[in-house]
Structures are given as structure tokens and as C-alpha cells.
Amino acid sequence: MLIKINRDNITNDTTNHTLTYSIDEDTRFSDIFSDLIEDGYFSNISQNNVVWTLTCDNKDIVSWNTYDNQMLPCIPLNEGVQSEAYLLNVQYLMNIKEIHFKYYSSPIDRAKYLLKKYKGDKMLMQYEGYMHEYLSYHIDKELEESWRNNK
């Protein structure tokens, strides 16, 4: 099955980054990430401490912290899985046509996005499967409080 892939442009980058990618029953989102990294699909940012998040149907699926070269999959508690699933085994993904890679200029920007998305509710963040990723960014309590207070 073929899916369309696109990513955010960075700074003055006006290149079209749309391509097609073939998936099968053994494909995981992290496989797509790894293949595209190997092919040089993502811009090389100075100091390379950025985060790319693979989104599908407006849902963040897996993030890649470039500095640590770490894949951080979203694993919701309500789905009863312990690791990243194969694309075609997840019911709502069986008919996906497109995925998008969202750019965050730093791990701190991604962490801030996650905290604000869940309005500071870490229990909900845990339930939705993002707490492991959030904790990987080592955000100190003072910075976290400033985000909660919209400073």
C-alpha cells in the first residue's frame, strides 16, 4: 500500500517534501522514520537538537529526538499494548493515506507543546501515551510552572 508523506519546511526552505512510501503488514511508524533518516529526508539543523513528530490523522504517533537519536512512540494506556504496533494492525490506521512530520526547534518546544495540549494534566498525558516522551525531555519544575502560568 502506498501512502503520501510530507514534512514541515524549516526557515527559508521552500522545497516540496512530498513523496510516496510503500507500507506492508510489517511496517511500523519508526521504520518509516528510520528509512527517511537514512535517506536524508530531514534537514540537518545546526547542533541538531530538534524534534520531529510523525503525525497521522491529527494524532502524534512517534517523535524523534535528533540529539539523542531516540524514537519516542506514543503508547496509549487504553489500547492495551506495550510497544509500538504495526501500522496495518491498528484499526483506525488501516486506511491511512497520508502522514506528516511536524518540526519542533528544540526538545523544550515539544515538551511545552505537550504540557499545554493536556492543560498541565499529567494523568491525562499518561493515559494518552505521551508521558514517557515528556519525561525524556527533563523539564525542571520551575519552567513547567511558568508554562502553566502562561509566562
Side-chain angles (χ1 to χ4, degrees), residues 56 67 115 129:
C56 180
Y67 184 76
L115 191 74

Short mmCIF file of all heavy atoms in Angstrom, two decimals, residues 56 67 115 129:
data_model
loop_
_atom_site.label_atom_id
_atom_site.label_comp_id
_atom_site.label_asym_id
_atom_site.label_seq_id
_atom_site.Cartn_x
_atom_site.Cartn_y
_atom_site.Cartn_z
N CYS A 56 -0.42 11.48 12.13
CA CYS A 56 -1.31 10.79 11.21
C CYS A 56 -2.73 11.06 11.67
O CYS A 56 -3.05 10.80 12.84
CB CYS A 56 -0.99 9.31 11.22
SG CYS A 56 -2.02 8.33 10.13
N TYR A 67 19.00 14.82 18.84
CA TYR A 67 20.22 14.89 19.62
C TYR A 67 20.57 13.53 20.23
O TYR A 67 21.71 13.09 20.17
CB TYR A 67 20.08 15.94 20.73
CG TYR A 67 21.34 16.15 21.53
CD1 TYR A 67 22.41 16.87 20.98
CD2 TYR A 67 21.48 15.64 22.80
CE1 TYR A 67 23.57 17.06 21.70
CE2 TYR A 67 22.63 15.83 23.53
CZ TYR A 67 23.68 16.54 22.97
OH TYR A 67 24.84 16.72 23.69
N LEU A 115 2.68 19.73 27.27
CA LEU A 115 2.10 20.17 28.53
C LEU A 115 0.88 21.05 28.28
O LEU A 115 -0.16 20.90 28.93
CB LEU A 115 3.13 20.90 29.38
CG LEU A 115 2.67 21.15 30.82
CD1 LEU A 115 2.70 19.87 31.63
CD2 LEU A 115 3.51 22.22 31.49
N GLY A 129 -0.63 8.41 26.41
CA GLY A 129 0.59 7.77 25.95
C GLY A 129 1.78 8.67 25.70
O GLY A 129 2.75 8.25 25.08
#
